[in-house]
Amino acid sequence: MAVFVRALGIGLAATAAYLLLTLGETQGDANIGAGLAVFAVLALGGFTWALFDGMDRRGSRAVRVGLREILVRWVIVSVLAVAIIVAVLVARYGAERLDLDASSAVFLWVLVLGPAMVGALIGYSARGTSGNPSGHTRSS
């Protein structure tokens, strides 16, 4: 369930940014700002959410998620987020109007996956090492 929430959040936020910044444009207009907004949402959303996933500061959980599980989660999230973006844009504009190919989808996938991997690694390395499952250290 967590995978779908993350994919929907990032995918729909990026799509909404694109649609809001391209309102009222005619076909064929280039909108660099809309593309950059999508890139920023994908990269920052993936990085930030994966950073918090890596830190996993929920102390009530007895079993903490390991690094491998976090990285696999974000591979799946990145694929689903791109699929959501493509599906919404195809539904909105039609496949013939969109200029999407496999390299565009891979580029969007890397824009989510790369920062998410970095965020997950930073978050995971920031976990406490005291043996306390919550990751918090005691201060005297």
Side-chain angles (χ1 to χ4, degrees):
M1 183 67 164
V3 170
F4 295 113
V5 170
R6 285 158 178 77
L8 277 173
I10 292 172
L12 292 179
T15 304
Y18 178 79
L19 293 174
L20 287 173
L21 291 172
T22 57
L23 285 176
E25 289 187 359
T26 61
Q27 184 175 355
D29 288 345
N31 189 334
I32 302 300
L36 291 175
V38 170
F39 297 168
V41 169
L42 293 176
L44 291 174
F47 175 82
T48 305
W49 213 329
L51 178 72
F52 285 110
D53 278 352
M55 291 187 325
D56 192 18
R57 295 274 182 200
R58 294 172 285 181
S60 62
R61 286 180 50 179
V63 179
R64 292 184 54 173
V65 177
L67 181 60
R68 180 178 305 162
E69 290 84 8
I70 295 169
L71 296 178
V72 169
R73 172 188 297 167
W74 278 96
V75 168
I76 296 168
V77 167
S78 62
V79 170
L80 290 175
V82 172
I84 290 167
I85 293 168
V86 170
V88 170
L89 292 178
V90 166
R92 170 88 167 101
Y93 297 112
E96 65 280 348
R97 184 170 169 218
L98 287 178
D99 190 22
L100 286 175
D101 57 2
S103 64
S104 299
V106 169
F107 180 70
L108 292 175
W109 175 64
V110 170
L111 276 173
V112 179
L113 185 62
M117 291 292 142
V118 172
L121 290 170
I122 291 172
Y124 190 81
S125 67
R127 285 184 178 182
T129 58
S130 65
N132 184 358
S134 68
H136 294 89
T137 57
R138 293 184 187 170
S139 58
S140 309

